[in-house]
């Protein structure tokens, strides 16, 4: 099945967006799970409506052409009216047809019309067939909104098609992220949420770096849920999250179950962007210096939490660095060069909502850099004061 053919054909894409179960096999368009009435007045929901699919080339892509043949094929019992009488308005005396791959139709239909496209043709036949079924069972529909698995021909990063993107017309925006290669350094609290958000985009590669094991406190500050048995396996954070997000992504996840530091910075080569989600220290300084020297943009996330008499208080911050602006890094980022004030976050306090917020700020800022979101502010430092809810944007670029 070619999802690319569907994606580039307005009429086929409309049928899929409307929730119909499409398949393209051996040059035929199939619509599966069609409700219909049998001769004994029973509604079945497993009919298959089929049309020969004619294609052409437009803008370098194979697309569906205007259908020149009015004939359709059917797999299932003969569709009937609600009273059990056969629908004879499009009945054709032809017998079963070989549709290739060992698949044969049971009946041939013939409703002559000048069909504008395949949406027009298939909707016409569905209207006659499904309409009778709905007289007996008003709730049945041909729009089943199935899950579509990707295949090698589609060369997709996901294991299944993101059909919602085309329904809400943001597919072109999603394509702005295609081909990008990013890294997440540190996949603990905030880093795991960054992964959760970035994994659902069309980036070509996501490299994960972390040398720690996934412990019980991680389970309380990362997206998802883990059983006791899973935690007892003591997997690395990277292996643990790789296993989860491989369910979504068929390719592009690259795992490094090691801490990133001065001795292995070459592992960052070839990247477009890096999310720094690690504690302050010499390793962080080395990474930042290497990224700057190699012209790679990055975002650093940070949480500063302290206990106060009336509850936890502190700040959530995001520091951005691109070729456009890097002169603010030393005054805005913490490298642990000097004595730091006590930060209760380092005690593994469970504040998953702040980890998620920090990650969301970072990913939104990254998407603004790439033009997915409109970028009017041009700020390179953002902070959120937990106690007051105040959001501050500073370090504006020219």
């Amino acid at each position: 099945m070619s999802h690319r053919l569907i994606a580039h054909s307005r009429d086929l894409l409309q049928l899929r967006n409307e929730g119909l179960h499409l398949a393209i096999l051996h040059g035929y368009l199939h619509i599966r799970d069609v409700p219909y009435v049998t001769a004994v007045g029973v509604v079945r929901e497993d009919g298959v409506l089929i049309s020969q699919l004619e294609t052409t080339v437009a803008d370098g892509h194979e697309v569906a052409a205007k259908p020149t043949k009015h004939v359709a094929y059917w797999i299932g019992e003969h569709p009937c009216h609600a009273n059990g009488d056969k629908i004879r308005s499009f009945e054709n005396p032809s017998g079963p047809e070989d549709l290739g791959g060992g698949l044969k139709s049971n009946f041939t239909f013939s409703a002559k019309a000048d069909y504008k496209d395949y949406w027009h043709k298939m909707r016409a036949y569905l209207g006659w067939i499904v309409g009778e079924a709905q007289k007996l069972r008003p709730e049945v529909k041909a729009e089943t909104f199935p899950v579509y698995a990707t295949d090698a021909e589609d060369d997709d990063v996901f294991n299944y098609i993101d059909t919602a993107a085309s329904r809400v017309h943001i597919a072109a925006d999603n394509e702005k992220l295609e081909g990008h290669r990013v890294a997440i350094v540190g996949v603990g609290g905030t880093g795991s949420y960054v992964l959760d958000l970035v994994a659902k985009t069309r980036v070509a590669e996501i490299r994960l770096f972390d040398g720690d094991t996934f412990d019980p406190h991680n389970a309380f500050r990362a997206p998802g849920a883990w059983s006791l048995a899973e935690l007892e396996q003591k997997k690395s954070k990277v292996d643990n999250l790789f296993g989860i997000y491989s369910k979504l992504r068929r390719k592009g996840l690259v795992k490094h179950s090691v801490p990133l530091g001065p001795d292995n910075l070459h592992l960052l080569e070839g990247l477009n962007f890096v999310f720094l989600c690690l504690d302050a220290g010499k390793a962080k300084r080395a990474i930042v210096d290497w990224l700057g020297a190699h012209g790679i943009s990055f975002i650093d996330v940070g949480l500063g939490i302290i206990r106060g008499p009336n509850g936890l208080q502190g700040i959530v911050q995001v520091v951005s660095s691109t070729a456009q602006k890097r002169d603010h890094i030393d005054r805005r980022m913490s490298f642990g060069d000097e004595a730091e004030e006590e930060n209760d976050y380092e005690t593994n306090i469970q504040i998953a909502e702040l980890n998620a917020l920090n990650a969301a700020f970072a990913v939104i800022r990254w998407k603004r850099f790439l033009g997915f979101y409109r970028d009017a502010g041009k700020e390179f430092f953002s902070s959120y004061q937990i106690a007051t809810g105040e959001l501050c944007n500073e370090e504006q670029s020219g």
Side-chain angles (χ1 to χ4, degrees):
M1 176 172 178
S2 175
H3 293 290
R4 288 186 177 183
L5 172 57
I6 294 174
H8 290 293
S9 303
R10 180 195 53 78
D11 49 350
L12 303 185
L13 184 61
Q14 184 176 356
L15 289 169
R16 191 179 75 179
N17 287 345
E18 290 172 350
L20 296 173
H21 190 171
L22 269 62
I24 297 174
L25 299 171
H26 307 290
Y28 289 88
L29 171 65
H30 295 227
I31 297 182
R32 300 168 174 169
D33 306 323
V34 178
Y36 67 100
V37 180
T38 68
V40 294
V42 173
V43 175
R44 295 186 58 167
E45 298 177 65
D46 58 354
V48 184
L49 179 66
I50 302 170
S51 171
Q52 183 176 344
L53 181 61
E54 299 170 77
T55 64
T56 185
V57 176
D59 298 325
H61 301 289
E62 184 184 18
V63 299
K66 179 180 177 179
T68 61
K69 297 177 175 61
H70 60 273
V71 171
Y73 306 97
W74 179 259
I75 297 178
E77 299 180 44
H78 197 293
C80 296
H81 291 285
N83 63 6
D85 293 339
K86 289 183 178 180
I87 301 176
R88 298 191 181 278
S89 57
F90 52 63
E91 190 174 34
N92 188 303
S94 300
E97 292 279 346
D98 188 345
L99 304 179
L103 194 64
K104 292 186 178 180
S105 67
N106 298 111
F107 301 98
T108 303
F109 300 150
S110 177
K112 292 185 178 181
D114 181 20
Y115 296 113
K116 297 182 297 182
D117 53 28
Y118 283 95
W119 183 92
H120 184 200
K121 178 179 180 179
M122 304 309 274
R123 276 298 183 186
Y125 279 104
L126 288 172
W128 293 312
I129 297 169
V130 180
E132 294 299 320
Q134 290 174 334
K135 292 178 182 179
L136 299 178
R137 290 176 52 194
E139 78 279 5
V140 298
K141 297 179 180 179
E143 297 82 1
T144 60
F145 292 93
V147 177
Y148 289 100
T150 56
D151 52 40
E153 181 183 354
D154 298 310
D155 192 30
D156 204 292
V157 297
F158 297 119
N159 287 315
Y160 41 88
I161 296 292
D162 176 14
T163 54
S166 58
R167 285 202 300 272
V168 297
H169 307 294
I170 62 168
D173 297 294
N174 287 338
E175 290 174 359
K176 294 177 181 179
L177 310 181
E178 288 186 358
H180 286 268
R181 301 180 183 278
V182 306
I184 304 172
V185 183
V187 287
T190 301
S192 61
Y193 280 99
V194 171
L195 171 60
D196 186 74
L197 299 173
V198 175
K200 294 164 184 171
T201 71
R202 303 195 66 82
V203 295
E205 184 178 336
I206 308 171
R207 298 181 200 174
L208 308 178
F209 295 89
D210 202 306
D212 295 335
T213 58
F214 193 88
D215 296 321
H217 70 268
N218 298 116
F220 285 94
R221 64 200 301 188
W226 288 264
S227 68
L228 176 62
E230 288 172 324
L231 290 175
E232 288 174 339
Q233 294 178 25
K234 291 292 183 179
K235 289 184 178 180
S236 72
K237 290 178 184 176
V238 167
D239 284 337
N240 188 15
L241 294 171
F242 182 91
I244 292 173
Y245 290 95
S246 291
K247 298 175 183 178
L248 170 66
R249 297 182 66 94
R250 63 187 296 183
K251 63 181 182 179
L253 284 178
V254 180
K255 55 182 180 177
H256 296 285
S257 298
V258 294
L260 190 64
D263 296 332
N264 59 359
L265 292 175
H266 64 279
L267 296 174
L268 297 174
E269 292 176 355
L271 293 172
N272 303 105
F273 204 93
V274 174
F275 292 92
L276 298 179
C277 309
L278 72 167
D279 297 333
K282 292 181 179 180
K284 187 174 185 179
R285 167 63 75 176
I287 296 168
V288 168
D289 290 344
W290 190 94
L291 293 174
H294 288 78
I296 299 176
S297 301
F298 67 87
I299 282 178
D300 177 65
V301 300
L303 282 173
I305 307 296
I306 59 173
R307 289 183 174 86
N310 298 312
L312 297 175
Q313 60 189 31
I315 189 172
V316 177
Q317 72 176 36
V318 170
V319 182
S320 308
S321 174
T322 70
Q324 187 178 11
K325 183 174 175 60
R326 298 193 192 274
D327 60 2
H328 60 300
I329 294 302
D330 283 342
R331 64 177 176 271
R332 291 300 188 181
M333 286 182 62
S334 172
F335 294 101
D337 299 327
E338 299 177 356
E340 302 272 348
E341 293 184 7
E342 181 181 355
N343 184 354
D344 286 316
Y345 177 73
E346 301 302 332
T347 65
N348 293 323
I349 192 168
Q350 305 308 329
I351 45 173
E353 63 278 7
L354 296 183
N355 291 128
L357 180 65
N358 205 180
F361 280 154
V363 172
I364 290 171
R365 189 69 192 96
W366 167 64
K367 286 187 171 182
R368 285 170 59 197
F369 282 135
L370 296 180
F372 182 92
Y373 296 121
R374 180 171 174 262
D375 189 14
K378 307 296 184 182
E379 85 287 347
F380 281 73
F381 175 82
S382 297
S383 63
Y384 172 76
Q385 295 288 341
I386 298 167
T388 63
E390 181 183 6
L391 183 63
C392 179
N393 293 328
E394 297 179 331
E395 301 292 353
Q396 305 290 322
S397 67

